Amino acid sequence: MSKIKTVFQCQSCGYVSPKWLGKCPDCGAWSSFSEEKQDPRALKSSNPRGSAEAQPLSKVTGGREKRQVIGIKELDRVLGGGLVNGAITLIGGDPGIGKSTLILQALSKIAEKYGAVLYVSGEESPEQIKLRAERLSIDSDSIILLPETLVENVIAVAGNMRPSALVIDSIQTVFTEDLTSAPGSVGQIRESAAKLMIFAKKSQVPVFLIGHVTKEGAIAGPRVLEHIVDTVLYFEGDRGHSYRILRTVKNRFGSTNEIGIFEMRDNGLTEIDNPSELFLSERPVDASGSAVIVSMEGTRPLLVEVQALVSPTTFGMPRRTSIGVDFNRVNLLIAVLEKKAGMHLGGMDVFTNIVGGLKIIEPASDLGIIAAISSSFRESPVNSKTCLFGEVGLSGEIRAVARSETRLKEAAKIGFKNAIIPKSNAERLKTDFGLNITGVKDVEEAIEHIRI
Ligand code: TYD
Ligand code: MG
């Protein structure tokens, strides 16, 4: 009898090895290998639409995807303007952040507009889902619950029913009978997702996969899934805040880095239409160490407060902590302030924070971080009607950023009076949006203007 061929696969990144290893050479995880059956079918054609045919690009018809507008604006935005038929979307996030809540709210809208939907739950019983639905005031004959974990059965039911959307909550609980490994292992997640993808592409039913995030911050069985699916959305936000941010990490049907902002209330997730006003609502007036930056999140401008606290170090090594902004970036800016603006931060602890639990990755926030740190260092507040944006270079120069007009327009709308922006941006402006705009060319000049 021929032996079944098995391989060892890293459960955290999917790396495959012919023999067991203690440490994964790819992601560095320890004791992460488990034995999986090697699936010979994996080598066959993987075209989800059946037979492949070579054809010239000009002969390909269609090309414009059909979209269902869900009716939750913030969700439609991150999806790129609605749900694409046959698209497979992964929603990842920490346990308890609100994935099931969001999906139930979305399903209720989809069912109302486009007909019955199928909600497959391997995690919660129909009774538990009912309790949540009551809390959200959702009741519908068109939301069909299926407590099933075998992916072949799910596809059979969905194939007969042809729902207007299919949800798998969560992908870690489903498994395929083709593999012997436990649900939640990389092999199972990948195979199940692949089967669901084939179903989605053939039937044109949009599919949502819900995925948990591991302690390290990646969706379990992560890299394998991100390649398969069309869209990846991450749910961010911390327990201490009621804001929840849904961020597009990958989208074959729209732009990435779009964000949708929600607030978790007693009766579910509520959309936030005017996030800038919300994030600035508790801003202390004329306190030092606070500055407002205009950041672009995808296509949307967002005004947020960055705070800094600079205080003398009590133990030898100065402490540097940053929340919501890149730690290395802040260290770099501190070095620029020391060298180019003569601020002696070497003996100071520096803490920086973005208010509201947001994460800002854009370099355009540099100027705001500099303003907050120097304001705290000098104990002199930044004018509360002033906002800033600009990238800071290593020689202290302030570099132009993209979309300066969109940013200024939003700042004016919120009620700001002054803006400190890169000189080269200021020179190219066609209108000032009623703002008093100061173009600055280096850090020193910027700090001069912040002081007023
Ligand atoms: P849930 O959607 O179950 O999270 P996930 O599926 O991501 O694990 O959300 C659970 C949390 O949300 C829980 O702590 C309770 C809270 N919640 C509200 O605050 N208001 C609500 O209306 C609902 C349904 C949940
Ligand atoms: Mg859940």
Side-chain angles (χ1 to χ4, degrees):
M1 205 180 93
S2 74
K3 218 173 137 227
I4 298 171
K5 186 141 168 47
T6 59
V7 291
F8 291 85
Q9 191 166 33
C10 171
Q11 297 299 301
S12 86
C13 73
Y15 181 86
V16 176
S17 153
K19 60 183 198 315
W20 189 85
L21 298 172
K23 184 186 180 191
C24 176
D26 197 12
C27 70
W30 288 93
S31 308
S32 61
F33 281 84
S34 85
E35 193 172 16
E36 311 251 352
K37 193 170 84 185
Q38 195 181 42
D39 192 353
R41 288 170 314 111
L43 300 172
K44 283 195 196 153
S45 159
S46 62
N47 187 340
R49 291 179 184 83
S51 66
E53 232 177 75
Q55 55 175 329
L57 179 61
S58 57
K59 292 279 181 304
V60 183
T61 52
R64 269 209 77 78
E65 65 280 346
K66 287 213 179 70
R67 286 185 192 264
Q68 300 179 2
V69 175
I70 298 173
I72 299 179
K73 251 196 354 236
E74 300 293 296
L75 180 59
D76 283 327
R77 185 211 319 278
V78 292
L79 289 171
L83 190 54
V84 176
N85 285 344
I88 183 155
T89 305
L90 174 67
I91 302 184
D94 291 325
I97 197 140
K99 300 180 295 296
S100 304
T101 307
L102 176 73
I103 213 68
L104 193 55
Q105 287 180 275
L107 282 183
S108 126
K109 298 262 186 191
I110 297 172
E112 208 174 282
K113 281 190 170 171
Y114 304 100
V117 292
L118 184 60
Y119 186 169
V120 178
S121 176
E123 291 203 335
E124 291 167 309
S125 65
E127 292 75 24
Q128 282 171 304
I129 297 171
K130 177 76 183 172
L131 280 178
R132 181 181 293 116
E134 273 169 5
R135 208 167 160 187
L136 304 170
S137 319
I138 291 174
D139 196 10
S140 167
D141 291 333
S142 312
I143 301 179
I144 314 294
L145 304 179
L146 179 66
E148 173 64 79
T149 49
L150 184 63
V151 94
E152 282 81 7
N153 287 352
V154 169
I155 290 174
V157 173
N160 284 335
M161 179 184 155
R162 294 272 157 166
S164 51
L166 168 66
V167 171
I168 312 291
D169 189 357
S170 65
I171 187 69
Q172 275 103 346
T173 57
V174 294
F175 68 102
T176 158
E177 53 195 3
D178 290 355
L179 297 182
T180 47
S181 50
S185 64
V186 171
Q188 285 287 6
I189 290 179
R190 183 177 51 195
E191 275 304 302
S192 309
K195 291 203 160 167
L196 289 161
M197 185 197 59
I198 293 172
F199 168 75
K201 299 298 169 200
K202 273 194 178 146
S203 66
Q204 288 295 298
V205 171
V207 176
F208 285 103
L209 305 179
I210 304 221
H212 288 296
V213 162
T214 57
K215 274 201 273 349
E216 292 77 33
I219 295 177
R223 298 192 196 159
V224 283
L225 268 193
E226 288 190 358
H227 290 145
I228 294 173
V229 300
D230 295 312
T231 306
V232 180
L233 307 177
Y234 271 95
F235 230 136
E236 297 171 0
D238 57 17
R239 292 287 172 83
H241 288 102
S242 55
Y243 313 123
R244 298 284 180 269
I245 291 150
L246 194 59
R247 191 184 290 277
T248 319
V249 179
K250 162 183 176 180
N251 194 353
R252 287 191 181 140
F253 308 111
S255 60
T256 48
N257 276 329
E258 281 296 348
I259 61 168
I261 303 175
F262 299 90
E263 189 180 351
M264 182 61 99
R265 302 221 179 119
D266 278 346
N267 55 355
L269 288 159
T270 313
E271 301 170 64
I272 305 290
D273 296 330
N274 50 354
S276 298
E277 281 168 32
L278 184 87
F279 286 124
L280 297 179
S281 61
E282 283 172 88
R283 190 160 55 114
V285 180
D286 293 336
S288 61
S290 155
V292 175
I293 57 174
V294 196
S295 174
M296 291 299 295
E297 295 295 331
T299 53
R300 159 203 259 193
L302 200 61
L303 281 96
V304 280
E305 181 189 353
V306 40
Q307 293 185 325
L309 181 66
V310 178
S311 64
T313 306
T314 37
F315 306 104
M317 275 285 284
R319 285 181 27 146
R320 303 282 146 89
T321 308
S322 59
I323 304 170
V325 276
D326 183 38
F327 177 74
N328 292 323
R329 190 99 206 152
V330 174
N331 275 344
L332 187 150
L333 295 173
I334 292 173
V336 171
L337 279 175
E338 288 236 19
K339 181 103 180 173
K340 302 290 170 187
M343 262 180 224
H344 299 295
L345 293 162
M348 297 288 194
D349 291 341
V350 181
F351 306 95
T352 42
N353 176 36
I354 300 283
V355 176
L358 273 176
K359 284 197 187 74
I360 303 287
I361 37 179
E362 230 200 352
S365 58
D366 291 354
L367 194 51
I369 297 171
I370 291 242
I373 294 176
S374 64
S375 155
S376 177
F377 180 77
R378 303 203 145 123
E379 292 287 338
S380 88
V382 179
N383 186 329
S384 64
K385 291 279 173 222
T386 298
C387 62
L388 313 99
F389 60 84
E391 181 178 347
V392 174
L394 282 187
S395 22
E397 80 278 18
I398 311 282
R399 295 167 168 260
V401 300
R403 297 179 188 251
S404 57
E405 303 209 344
T406 319
R407 295 175 205 256
L408 291 170
K409 197 168 157 197
E410 175 77 3
K413 198 178 101 195
I414 303 291
F416 280 81
K417 297 274 175 284
N418 319 302
I420 300 179
I421 70 173
K423 194 169 195 123
S424 40
N425 277 134
E427 280 163 359
R428 270 180 265 150
L429 282 181
K430 293 196 182 64
T431 155
D432 63 3
F433 302 96
L435 292 165
N436 172 19
I437 293 172
T438 315
V440 289
K441 68 172 196 310
D442 55 33
V443 169
E444 236 175 312
E445 204 181 322
I447 288 171
E448 275 311 301
H449 285 94
I450 294 162
R451 285 172 103 175
I452 356 162

Coordinates of all heavy atoms in Angstrom, one line a residue, residues 306-351:
V306 N -2.9 65.7 17.4 CA -1.8 64.9 17.8 C -1.3 65.6 19.1 O -1.2 66.8 19.2 CB -0.7 64.7 16.7 CG1 -0.5 66.0 15.9 CG2 0.6 64.3 17.3
Q307 N -1.0 64.8 20.1 CA -0.6 65.3 21.4 C 0.9 64.8 21.7 O 1.2 63.7 21.3 CB -1.4 64.8 22.5 CG -2.9 65.3 22.4 CD -3.7 64.9 23.6 OE1 -3.5 63.8 24.1 NE2 -4.6 65.7 24.0
A308 N 1.6 65.7 22.3 CA 3.0 65.3 22.7 C 3.2 65.8 24.2 O 2.6 66.8 24.6 CB 4.0 65.9 21.8
L309 N 3.9 65.0 24.9 CA 4.3 65.4 26.3 C 5.8 65.2 26.4 O 6.3 64.2 26.1 CB 3.6 64.5 27.3 CG 3.9 64.8 28.7 CD1 3.3 66.2 29.1 CD2 3.3 63.8 29.6
V310 N 6.5 66.3 26.7 CA 7.9 66.3 26.8 C 8.3 66.6 28.2 O 7.8 67.7 28.7 CB 8.6 67.4 25.9 CG1 10.1 67.4 26.0 CG2 8.2 67.1 24.4
S311 N 8.9 65.7 28.9 CA 9.3 66.1 30.3 C 10.7 65.5 30.6 O 11.1 64.5 30.0 CB 8.2 65.5 31.3 OG 8.3 64.1 31.2
P312 N 11.4 66.1 31.6 CA 12.7 65.7 31.9 C 12.8 64.2 32.3 O 11.9 63.7 33.0 CB 13.1 66.6 33.1 CG 12.2 67.7 33.0 CD 10.9 67.2 32.5
T313 N 13.8 63.5 31.9 CA 14.0 62.1 32.2 C 14.4 62.0 33.6 O 15.2 62.7 34.1 CB 15.1 61.5 31.3 OG1 14.8 61.8 30.0 CG2 15.2 60.0 31.5
T314 N 13.7 61.0 34.3 CA 14.1 60.8 35.7 C 15.2 59.7 35.8 O 16.0 59.7 36.7 CB 12.9 60.5 36.6 OG1 12.0 59.7 35.9 CG2 12.3 61.8 37.0
F315 N 15.1 58.7 34.9 CA 16.1 57.6 35.0 C 16.9 57.8 33.7 O 16.4 58.1 32.7 CB 15.4 56.2 34.9 CG 14.4 56.0 36.0 CD1 13.0 56.1 35.7 CD2 14.8 55.8 37.3 CE1 12.1 55.9 36.7 CE2 13.8 55.6 38.3 CZ 12.5 55.7 38.0
G316 N 18.2 57.6 33.9 CA 19.2 57.7 32.8 C 18.7 57.8 31.3 O 18.8 58.8 30.7
M317 N 18.1 56.7 30.9 CA 17.7 56.6 29.5 C 16.4 57.4 29.2 O 15.4 57.1 29.9 CB 17.5 55.2 29.1 CG 18.7 54.5 28.6 SD 19.2 55.0 27.0 CE 18.1 54.1 26.0
P318 N 16.4 58.3 28.3 CA 15.1 59.0 28.0 C 14.1 58.0 27.4 O 14.5 57.1 26.6 CB 15.4 60.1 27.0 CG 16.8 59.7 26.5 CD 17.5 58.9 27.5
R319 N 12.8 58.1 27.7 CA 11.8 57.2 27.2 C 11.1 57.9 26.0 O 10.8 59.0 26.0 CB 10.8 56.9 28.3 CG 11.3 55.9 29.3 CD 10.4 55.6 30.3 NE 9.0 55.7 29.9 CZ 8.0 54.9 30.4 NH1 8.4 53.9 31.2 NH2 6.8 55.0 30.1
R320 N 10.9 57.1 25.0 CA 10.2 57.5 23.8 C 9.0 56.6 23.6 O 9.2 55.4 23.4 CB 11.1 57.5 22.6 CG 12.4 58.3 22.8 CD 12.1 59.8 22.6 NE 12.9 60.6 23.4 CZ 14.1 61.1 23.1 NH1 14.6 60.8 22.0 NH2 14.7 61.9 23.9
T321 N 7.8 57.1 23.6 CA 6.6 56.2 23.4 C 5.7 56.9 22.4 O 5.5 58.1 22.4 CB 5.8 56.0 24.7 OG1 6.7 55.6 25.7 CG2 4.7 55.0 24.5
S322 N 5.2 56.1 21.4 CA 4.3 56.8 20.5 C 3.1 55.8 20.2 O 3.3 54.6 20.0 CB 4.9 57.2 19.2 OG 5.5 56.0 18.6
I323 N 1.9 56.4 20.3 CA 0.7 55.7 20.1 C 0.0 56.2 18.8 O -0.3 57.4 18.8 CB -0.2 55.7 21.3 CG1 0.5 55.2 22.5 CG2 -1.5 54.9 21.0 CD1 -0.2 55.4 23.8
G324 N -0.3 55.4 17.9 CA -1.0 55.9 16.7 C -0.1 56.5 15.6 O -0.6 56.7 14.5
V325 N 1.2 56.7 15.9 CA 2.1 57.1 14.8 C 3.3 56.2 14.9 O 3.6 55.6 15.9 CB 2.6 58.6 15.0 CG1 1.6 59.5 14.4 CG2 2.8 58.9 16.4
D326 N 4.0 56.1 13.8 CA 5.2 55.2 13.7 C 6.3 55.7 14.7 O 6.8 56.8 14.6 CB 5.7 55.1 12.3 CG 6.8 54.2 12.2 OD1 6.7 53.1 12.8 OD2 7.8 54.5 11.4
F327 N 6.7 54.8 15.5 CA 7.7 55.0 16.6 C 9.0 55.5 15.9 O 9.6 56.5 16.4 CB 7.9 53.7 17.3 CG 9.0 53.8 18.4 CD1 8.8 54.5 19.5 CD2 10.2 53.2 18.2 CE1 9.8 54.5 20.5 CE2 11.2 53.2 19.1 CZ 11.0 53.9 20.3
N328 N 9.5 54.9 14.9 CA 10.7 55.3 14.2 C 10.6 56.6 13.6 O 11.6 57.4 13.6 CB 11.1 54.2 13.2 CG 11.5 52.9 13.9 OD1 12.1 52.9 14.9 ND2 11.1 51.8 13.2
R329 N 9.5 56.9 13.1 CA 9.2 58.2 12.4 C 9.4 59.3 13.5 O 10.0 60.4 13.3 CB 7.8 58.2 11.8 CG 7.5 59.3 11.0 CD 7.7 59.0 9.5 NE 7.9 60.2 8.8 CZ 8.6 60.3 7.6 NH1 9.1 59.2 7.1 NH2 8.8 61.4 7.0
V330 N 8.8 59.1 14.7 CA 8.8 60.1 15.7 C 10.3 60.3 16.2 O 10.7 61.4 16.4 CB 7.9 59.7 16.9 CG1 8.1 60.6 18.1 CG2 6.5 59.7 16.5
N331 N 11.0 59.2 16.3 CA 12.4 59.3 16.7 C 13.2 60.1 15.7 O 14.1 60.9 16.1 CB 13.1 57.9 16.8 CG 12.8 57.3 18.2 OD1 12.4 58.0 19.1 ND2 12.9 56.0 18.3
L332 N 12.9 59.9 14.4 CA 13.6 60.7 13.4 C 13.3 62.2 13.5 O 14.1 63.0 13.4 CB 13.1 60.1 12.1 CG 13.6 60.5 10.7 CD1 13.5 59.3 9.8 CD2 12.9 61.6 10.2
L333 N 12.0 62.5 13.8 CA 11.6 63.9 13.9 C 12.2 64.5 15.1 O 12.6 65.7 15.1 CB 10.1 64.0 14.0 CG 9.4 63.5 12.7 CD1 7.8 63.5 12.9 CD2 9.7 64.4 11.5
I334 N 12.4 63.7 16.2 CA 13.0 64.3 17.4 C 14.5 64.6 17.1 O 15.0 65.7 17.5 CB 13.0 63.2 18.6 CG1 11.5 63.1 19.0 CG2 13.8 63.7 19.7 CD1 11.3 62.0 20.0
A335 N 15.1 63.7 16.3 CA 16.5 64.0 15.9 C 16.6 65.3 15.1 O 17.5 66.1 15.2 CB 17.1 62.8 15.2
V336 N 15.7 65.4 14.2 CA 15.7 66.6 13.3 C 15.5 67.9 14.2 O 16.2 68.9 14.0 CB 14.5 66.6 12.2 CG1 14.4 67.9 11.5 CG2 14.8 65.4 11.3
L337 N 14.6 67.8 15.2 CA 14.4 69.0 16.1 C 15.7 69.3 16.8 O 16.0 70.5 17.0 CB 13.2 68.7 17.0 CG 11.8 68.9 16.5 CD1 10.8 68.4 17.5 CD2 11.6 70.3 16.1
E338 N 16.4 68.3 17.3 CA 17.6 68.5 18.0 C 18.6 69.2 17.2 O 19.2 70.2 17.5 CB 18.2 67.2 18.4 CG 17.5 66.5 19.5 CD 18.4 66.1 20.7 OE1 19.5 66.7 20.8 OE2 18.0 65.2 21.5
K339 N 18.8 68.7 16.0 CA 19.9 69.1 15.1 C 19.6 70.4 14.4 O 20.4 71.3 14.3 CB 20.2 68.0 14.1 CG 21.3 68.3 13.2 CD 22.5 67.5 13.6 CE 23.6 67.8 12.6 NZ 24.9 67.2 13.0
K340 N 18.4 70.6 13.9 CA 18.0 71.7 13.1 C 17.4 72.9 13.8 O 17.3 74.0 13.3 CB 17.1 71.3 11.9 CG 17.8 70.2 11.0 CD 18.9 70.7 10.2 CE 19.7 69.6 9.6 NZ 20.9 70.0 8.9
A341 N 16.7 72.6 14.9 CA 16.1 73.6 15.6 C 16.7 73.9 17.0 O 16.2 74.7 17.8 CB 14.6 73.3 15.7
G342 N 17.8 73.2 17.3 CA 18.5 73.4 18.5 C 17.7 73.1 19.8 O 17.9 73.7 20.8
M343 N 16.7 72.1 19.7 CA 16.0 71.8 20.9 C 16.7 70.6 21.6 O 17.0 69.6 21.0 CB 14.6 71.3 20.5 CG 13.6 72.4 20.6 SD 12.0 71.7 20.1 CE 11.5 73.1 19.2
H344 N 17.0 70.8 22.9 CA 17.7 69.8 23.6 C 16.8 68.7 24.1 O 16.3 68.8 25.2 CB 18.6 70.4 24.7 CG 19.6 71.3 24.1 ND1 20.6 70.9 23.2 CD2 19.7 72.7 24.1 CE1 21.3 71.9 22.8 NE2 20.8 73.0 23.3
L345 N 16.5 67.7 23.3 CA 15.5 66.7 23.7 C 16.2 65.5 24.2 O 15.6 64.5 24.6 CB 14.6 66.3 22.5 CG 13.7 67.5 22.1 CD1 13.1 67.2 20.7 CD2 12.5 67.6 23.0
G346 N 17.6 65.5 24.3 CA 18.3 64.3 24.7 C 18.0 63.9 26.1 O 18.1 62.7 26.4
G347 N 17.8 64.8 27.0 CA 17.5 64.5 28.3 C 16.0 64.5 28.7 O 15.6 64.6 29.8
M348 N 15.2 64.3 27.6 CA 13.7 64.4 27.8 C 13.0 63.1 27.4 O 13.4 62.5 26.4 CB 13.2 65.6 26.9 CG 13.7 66.9 27.3 SD 13.0 67.5 28.8 CE 13.4 69.2 28.8
D349 N 12.0 62.8 28.2 CA 11.1 61.7 27.8 C 10.1 62.4 26.8 O 9.7 63.5 27.0 CB 10.2 61.2 28.9 CG 11.1 60.5 29.9 OD1 12.2 60.0 29.6 OD2 10.6 60.3 31.1
V350 N 9.8 61.7 25.7 CA 8.9 62.3 24.7 C 7.8 61.2 24.4 O 8.1 60.1 24.0 CB 9.6 62.6 23.4 CG1 8.5 63.2 22.4 CG2 10.7 63.6 23.6
F351 N 6.6 61.6 24.7 CA 5.4 60.7 24.5 C 4.5 61.4 23.4 O 4.2 62.6 23.5 CB 4.6 60.5 25.7 CG 5.4 60.1 26.9 CD1 5.9 61.0 27.8 CD2 5.6 58.7 27.1 CE1 6.6 60.5 28.9 CE2 6.4 58.3 28.2 CZ 6.9 59.2 29.1

